[in-house]
Amino acid sequence: MKAFRFLHAADLHLDTPFSGMSGVPDRLRGLLRESTFAAFDQLIKVAIEEAVDFVVISGDIYDASDSSLRAQLRLREGWDKLGEHGIPVYLIRGNHDPLSSRRLRLALPGHVYEFGSQAESVTAVRRSDGEPVAVLTGVSYPTPAVHDNLALQYRREPGSALYHIGLLHGNVDGQEGHDAYAPCSLRDLQASGYDYWALGHIHKREILCESPWVVYPGNIQGRSLKETGPKGCYLVEVTENGEAELSFRRLDQVLWLESRLTIDGIATEEALKMSLEERLDELREAEPGRITLARLSFIGRGPLHGLLQSGAEVAELLQELRRKEFARFEAAGLGSSDVERLGLGEGIVWLAGFKLETRMELDREGVLAEDSFLGELFRLAKRTSAASEQVEELVDTALASLSDNRQLRRLLQGLNPEAKQELVRRAEELAASMLHEDTPLSSPSPPSLREGGGAS
Ligand SMILES: [Mn+2]
C-alpha cells in the first residue's frame, strides 16, 4: 500500500439562514450568515496547506435544496481553488441536497466527482506520482428521504489491495436527534471490509470505531445551541502499512457554547454584573478572532436566587452586556463581509440566552442537625445516597405506582443510576423549598429551569 492523505468533511450546510434568532443586530446576523461560507473557505485553505491528495465530502453541502445562487457560486469558487492546486473532490448528496433538487444545477468542474444514486466505486490516485491509492465508494440521495440501508450496497473490490473508503450519509445505530435516513448498524459497516467509513448526517463529531475507521466529522460550522463546541474536519493520513492517523482541523468562525456561572458567594447585583463581565472577558480571550455565542446557565446557591427567579433581572443585565459588547464590536469597524478581518483581531461574545438553575440558600448542615421533618428527610437522602443500591431501591419503591402505565414504565426502565441519584437530589431540593421557613407553603417552587432571551 502507498501512503497518502485526504480531508474528510461533511454537512457544510452552506447558506444556513440563522433565522429565528431574536434581538441580534443586523450586522452580527450578517456575520452569522457568512459563517458557513467562511468555514468552507477554511476547509479549502486547509486542503491546500496540507497538500492532501483529495477531499471527501459526505453530503449536505447545501442547507436547502433550493439553495441560493450565491451558495452555488461560492462553492464553485472553492472548487476552482482546489482545481488550481490539482486537488480532486469526491462528494455525495444528502437529505438536504438530494439529486432531485432542481436548482442545484451548476455544472461541476472535472476535478469534482459526484456519486450517483446507485453505489459506485472510483479509484483515487496520489497527486505526486499518479499511483492509485484508494477505492472510493459512494451513493447520493436521489430524494430527501432515504429509508433503505445503503451500506449494504457497498462492496469491497475483490482482490484489490487498495485502501477502501465508503462515503455514506446516514444514521448509524439510530442516533437520536437526526432523521433515521439510510439507517444501518455499526456491525454492517464493520462487516463490509472497508477501511474507512467517511460518514455524514450526524452533526456531532464522533469516531464510532477505529478498526475499521467509522467517522462522523460533524458539521464544519455550528448553527445553533444544539451544535456546541469547535467544528471542523478530519485530516486522515494513511501510512504504507494501511494504518490511518486522524487529526481534527478546526474550521468554524462562530462558536456556540453553554457556559455555567455560579451565584455561590455572590451577594449583590453589582457583584453579579462583575462576575458576568469577567466571564465575558474569559470567553472572548479563549476564542480570539471568533464570534462566540454563549448561553449562560446560572447555577449554585446564594442570596441572589430569589431576585433572579423571575428572569427579568437577568434579562435586563444581559441586554446591557450585549449593548456594551456590540458597541465594542462596532468601534472595531467591522462589517458583514469582514469575517477574515475579524479573524485577525479580538473576538466578540454574544449572549444568546440564559437558563436559571440556581437554588435557594440553605444551611444544609443546620438542616441535617434539625429535629424536623426536613431534617429527617435530608438525613434519609444522605444515608441513601451513600450506597447506589439504596438509591435504586428508594426510587424504585417511590415510583412503583407509576409503572402501571406502559409508557411511564418504559421511561422508568430507561433511568440509569445517575438519573436516579439526580431524582433523589431534586426531591430533596423540592421538599426543601416547599418546607423551608422562608418559603410559604402556598407557593411551592420546584427547582427552576427557565429559559429566556434568544436562540435555541
Ligand atoms: Mn446535515
Side-chain angles (χ1 to χ4, degrees):
M1 206 174 270
K2 295 175 179 65
F4 66 99
R5 46 178 30 204
F6 65 98
L7 277 192
H8 169 204
D11 297 282
L12 315 186
H13 285 266
L14 292 182
D15 217 3
T16 293
F18 291 93
S19 51
M21 289 184 57
S22 55
V24 176
D26 287 347
R27 286 181 59 199
L28 185 56
R29 191 185 296 279
L31 285 172
L32 294 181
R33 278 208 72 151
E34 180 67 14
S35 64
T36 51
F37 294 116
F40 175 67
D41 291 345
Q42 286 298 318
L43 173 73
I44 301 298
K45 207 170 138 197
V46 171
I48 292 167
E49 277 171 8
E50 294 290 348
V52 295
D53 291 293
F54 53 88
V55 175
V56 161
I57 302 180
S58 304
D60 282 2
I61 289 164
Y62 298 112
D63 186 55
S65 59
D66 62 346
S67 189
S68 61
L69 185 62
R70 179 169 95 109
Q72 299 185 50
L73 293 172
R74 288 291 291 269
L75 191 68
R76 180 63 197 247
E77 207 179 298
W79 295 158
D80 287 347
K81 265 189 207 153
L82 290 181
E84 284 163 24
H85 289 81
I87 300 173
V89 179
Y90 298 91
L91 62 91
I92 55 176
R93 301 280 202 93
N95 52 306
H96 280 265
D97 57 353
L99 293 166
S100 62
S101 46
R102 275 170 314 210
R103 290 199 55 189
L104 305 183
R105 276 204 181 138
L106 275 195
L108 293 170
H111 64 287
V112 178
Y113 186 85
E114 181 181 281
F115 288 90
S117 62
Q118 295 295 319
E120 53 181 322
S121 294
V122 295
T123 301
V125 303
R126 187 158 62 181
R127 287 198 297 134
S128 57
D129 54 10
E131 286 281 343
V133 287
V135 172
L136 276 64
T137 309
V139 186
S140 281
Y141 279 33
T143 53
V146 170
H147 299 288
D148 301 334
N149 182 345
L150 299 178
L152 301 177
Q153 293 183 27
Y154 290 58
R155 295 261 179 272
R156 203 184 156 92
E157 283 198 356
S160 170
L162 296 179
Y163 197 79
H164 274 59
I165 301 171
L167 286 71
L168 178 66
H169 192 83
N171 196 327
V172 177
D173 285 344
Q175 298 232 11
E176 278 173 36
H178 287 264
D179 297 311
Y181 294 148
C184 66
S185 66
L186 183 56
R187 212 169 276 178
D188 293 336
L189 304 183
Q190 287 164 332
S192 64
Y194 276 67
D195 300 292
Y196 187 102
W197 280 95
L199 304 177
H201 187 49
I202 306 296
H203 289 185
K204 190 171 181 293
R205 181 170 73 252
E206 193 174 2
I207 294 176
L208 299 179
C209 182
E210 293 191 5
S211 179
W213 288 96
V214 179
V215 179
Y216 281 115
N219 52 345
I220 62 170
Q221 172 58 65
R223 301 167 313 137
S224 74
L225 283 163
K226 291 179 192 136
E227 299 178 350
T228 51
K231 297 284 186 175
C233 65
Y234 277 111
L235 170 67
V236 184
E237 297 173 272
V238 181
T239 63
E240 275 165 10
N241 49 21
E243 275 164 22
E245 205 168 285
L246 273 65
S247 43
F248 174 66
R249 291 304 155 102
R250 196 165 171 192
L251 304 173
D252 58 350
Q253 301 293 292
V254 173
L255 175 72
W256 294 83
L257 62 80
E258 301 275 3
S259 185
R260 287 148 66 93
L261 193 80
T262 181
I263 62 161
D264 284 359
I266 296 183
T268 64
E269 278 181 88
E270 187 54 33
L272 180 67
K273 182 162 177 271
M274 272 172 63
S275 166
L276 272 164
E277 281 173 342
E278 260 169 43
R279 174 57 54 87
L280 241 61
D281 289 343
E282 283 164 22
L283 293 176
R284 196 184 309 111
E285 279 157 27
E287 298 288 340
R290 283 196 179 82
I291 299 169
T292 300
L293 289 150
R295 176 162 66 184
L296 284 174
S297 294
F298 292 87
I299 57 165
R301 293 176 183 283
L304 285 184
H305 168 73
L307 180 77
L308 298 183
Q309 275 240 308
S310 76
E313 295 281 336
V314 177
E316 230 170 80
L317 203 48
L318 294 194
Q319 201 51 46
E320 174 60 14
L321 291 170
R322 280 175 178 162
R323 192 191 58 73
K324 272 175 74 178
E325 183 76 357
F326 193 65
R328 220 180 53 80
F329 167 64
E330 295 231 279
L334 298 168
S336 64
S337 61
D338 291 330
V339 167
E340 288 209 358
R341 265 183 65 205
L342 189 72
L344 300 173
E346 275 184 30
I348 175 170
V349 180
W350 186 257
L351 297 167
F354 63 90
K355 274 186 186 176
L356 291 178
E357 292 172 342
T358 57
R359 312 205 191 283
M360 63 191 298
E361 205 170 21
L362 196 63
D363 172 14
R364 178 168 287 274
E365 292 308 313
V367 175
L368 273 168
E370 227 170 62
D371 181 19
S372 66
F373 177 77
L374 192 58
E376 184 55 38
L377 188 110
F378 269 42
R379 287 189 289 275
L380 173 67
K382 192 180 177 189
R383 276 200 308 275
T384 311
S385 301
S388 59
E389 323 83 69
Q390 292 197 35
V391 174
E392 297 263 329
E393 200 187 316
L394 179 71
V395 172
D396 292 347
T397 314
L399 299 179
S401 63
L402 297 179
S403 59
D404 293 344
N405 178 301
R406 200 162 51 85
Q407 274 176 313
L408 284 175
R409 191 165 58 238
R410 214 171 30 210
L411 278 175
L412 294 176
Q413 278 164 355
L415 285 179
N416 60 26
E418 271 166 32
K420 288 183 181 173
Q421 183 85 60
E422 174 67 10
L423 279 178
V424 172
R425 205 186 55 73
R426 289 182 69 138
E428 192 187 26
E429 195 64 49
L430 186 59
S433 58
M434 287 170 82
L435 294 172
H436 200 265
E437 55 188 349
D438 294 348
T439 317
L441 270 176
S442 54
S443 62
S445 67
S448 77
L449 190 152
R450 287 204 187 78
E451 299 188 31
S456 68

